Amino acid sequence: MSEAPAPVPVDFSQLTVGWIGTGVMGISMAGHLLDAGCRLVVFNRSSEKSRPLIRRGAEEADSPAEVAGRSDIIFTMVGYPRDVRQVVLGEEADSGVLSGLRPGGILVDMTTSEPALAEEIAERALLVGGRALDAPVSGGDIGARNATLSIMVGGDSETFARVLPLFQRLGKTVVLQGGPGAGQHTKMVNQILVAASMIGVCEALLYAEKAGLDVTTVLQSVSSGAAGSWSLANLGPRIVQGDFAPGFYVEHFIKDMRIALSEAERMRVALPGLALVSQLYNAVAAQGHARSGTQALMIALKTLNGC
Amino acid sequence: MSEAPAPVPVDFSQLTVGWIGTGVMGISMAGHLLDAGCRLVVFNRSSEKSRPLIRRGAEEADSPAEVAGRSDIIFTMVGYPRDVRQVVLGEEADSGVLSGLRPGGILVDMTTSEPALAEEIAERALLVGGRALDAPVSGGDIGARNATLSIMVGGDSETFARVLPLFQRLGKTVVLQGGPGAGQHTKMVNQILVAASMIGVCEALLYAEKAGLDVTTVLQSVSSGAAGSWSLANLGPRIVQGDFAPGFYVEHFIKDMRIALSEAERMRVALPGLALVSQLYNAVAAQGHARSGTQALMIALKTLNGC
């Protein structure tokens, strides 16, 4: 698994790529593949979100199945596991990607979703003569825009090698983590780390405030040593400024933690830290901040503390 | 507070520095001041630990009070708040630093200790015509050896400016955080962050293992993005290798978290994440790992999970 298969050279101009899900992240990512010279066929539930891509030469399809029928490799980047089920497996017969997949077609689901669903999709893709990878990402909207995402892939190494040149247009760190579902599991590892970082940053900053410290001066002392983290460096200053604008939505993070806790329960492993943080994020959503950024955890912690 | 006072130029060869507490960190730090050209007077409960410094020209005193009587600036670097009380305030009359402090003498306590004790010491130093700073550090034994510590200082800015040239021999990041106790409070902020990072790293690696992932490969995907932290980069690989040798002792970390939780209670602020992690560290100690490194949290988490 740790040996990176060599990418299979590809002529982007000979490749038709399907893209389903042109939200904040998807639209940047699909744009990079247009830039690379691919022919692009797109589908989004709300068609107007795809317009910037259409204006740049992408073609629009009427269903996920149609995208699949016209593409060599189809990417999906939607919101929730239920959306993945809908666009890949089809709510009604013949509407999902798998029902339109060409022989040899490759489906790449980049949504953060359930490992078991990734396994099911990989099996069903094989049954129709195709292949599937799960390839969730971290790095957020900025990483999508700058093509600096970390892409965590599950699937077979031959399919991975074929998609690798495209992944390299989307991200900086692209690693095959194992068979189907391994990409999703790796993303869960990522989110367990993020969850703990967030509670640490919020509790630390609240303590600093209560102790009467100058929080910005405190960050000078604690940011570069053993207490340092991406969250502290990037979200700490936003929290200090009271900026809760979303880099990553609370409601999506809650979904990710729910998947991780559900998988943990299935594997019979207790993760008390993650369980605590996920409960606090339920409180964040309860207070009306589902569409704020994850740093809004500070709001719930302050409410809890009567401030 | 955020304006750094300019250091007061100092001729190290004209300065006598006292050093109390020549444990793993203290001995490296005192050595840097010898290297700078200071005259050094040392005291340690177990005298043999000071020998490497004596061989290099340091003089030995028979009590903390004697160190103070012979020095311009006295540093203390001991284990627990009770040790600070003993060497600074004196168990019996006339044995502690304050009873020997010269008029104008400066006491700098670098132990991670209680903010309220730091305030008490600063007041009592003033009463005997001296000054005191609290100046705990982060960076561990390696930071002490390489003089790359982060030094978090509480006290008055004039005294800070006088000690700053010496701090700069000991650390890379030296910040005056506020009045007496502010250094200790800042260190608590640091430890709250570290506590959260540690539970995150351990739960994430345990999840990865249970999910059947190759943990080293997982670290490639998650280390450089939003999940990244000092703990993950530095302690993650040690945990994977089963290396629980101490960089920082579990028993000292438990002490730090106890101080932070006690201060939080006094300030009436709930820190549920810190409370959870401190309980798990009690379990680490209960399992016989008080003198292991903080990454031994993984051992307690695995025991909890029957593995």
Side-chain angles (χ1 to χ4, degrees), chain B residues 222-247:
Chain B
V222 303
S223 292
S224 58
S229 68
W230 186 97
S231 299
L232 184 64
N234 290 277
L235 300 179
R238 292 198 210 171
I239 293 171
V240 173
Q241 289 153 28
D243 170 8
F244 299 108

Side-chain angles (χ1 to χ4, degrees), chain B residues 264-305:
Chain B
E265 187 178 336
R266 194 185 57 74
M267 301 187 296
R268 292 186 185 272
V269 55
L271 302 177
L274 179 65
L276 172 64
V277 178
S278 84
Q279 289 304 306
L280 291 172
Y281 270 100
N282 285 345
V284 177
Q287 290 173 31
H289 291 283
R291 299 284 284 180
S292 294
T294 48
Q295 71 274 25
L297 178 59
M298 188 58 147
I299 297 173
L301 192 65
K302 284 195 164 183
T303 309
L304 175 69
N305 279 292

